[in-house]
Amino acid sequence: MRIMVALIVLSSVTFAAPKEAAAHAHLAQASPKPGSTVSPAPKKIVLSFTEKLEPKFSSVEVRDAQGASVQAGKAQSGANRAQLQVQLKPLGPGTYTVNWRVLSVDTHRTKGTFTFKVGR
């Protein structure tokens, strides 16, 4: 009987305890799509996330195969605070790497990387 009471009490405490929020800003969508080959070359990168971001503390870098930066300025967030956009310099054919680091409004940091190709 004591074991049964202990299990009930333990279960009650476990279910009543506040749960930590698991709200992290994960990449939901990207244009161009990760791993894609596009033509013509994009003029900007648009990243959409699962949570609103703190744009001042979020960044996007786009680099060519030699590691040179090809973005034209810093990433911006418009009316949609779950989205970042960065304008690009004119891109030639080749593989490009997108590195992103974001801070969600609930102060969780996430980062990621993907590549895309520009075809002829």
Side-chain angles (χ1 to χ4, degrees):
M1 185 67 170
R2 287 184 189 174
I3 293 174
M4 181 73 93
V5 171
L7 286 174
I8 292 170
V9 170
L10 183 59
S11 296
S12 299
V13 170
T14 301
F15 290 116
K19 305 291 184 221
E20 182 178 329
H24 290 68
H26 297 286
L27 184 64
Q29 198 171 27
S31 177
K33 292 181 180 180
S36 66
T37 299
V38 297
S39 184
K43 295 184 181 191
K44 65 181 174 180
I45 300 288
V46 181
L47 305 178
S48 298
F49 294 88
T50 57
E51 300 289 329
K52 290 182 180 178
L53 307 174
E54 291 291 349
K56 290 183 181 181
F57 301 102
S58 300
S59 64
V60 179
E61 290 182 337
V62 185
R63 298 193 176 271
D64 65 15
Q66 290 73 38
S69 174
V70 296
Q71 74 263 10
K74 294 183 179 183
Q76 304 290 319
S77 180
N80 182 351
R81 295 263 321 269
Q83 192 175 78
L84 284 177
Q85 298 183 29
V86 64
Q87 298 296 319
L88 300 173
K89 298 174 184 175
L91 302 180
T95 301
Y96 296 87
T97 302
V98 178
N99 295 301
W100 56 266
R101 293 176 182 262
V102 297
L103 177 68
S104 60
V105 293
D106 65 358
T107 70
H108 289 112
R109 292 190 176 276
T110 54
K111 63 182 179 176
T113 187
F114 68 88
T115 61
F116 69 94
K117 291 181 182 178
V118 173
R120 295 180 191 255

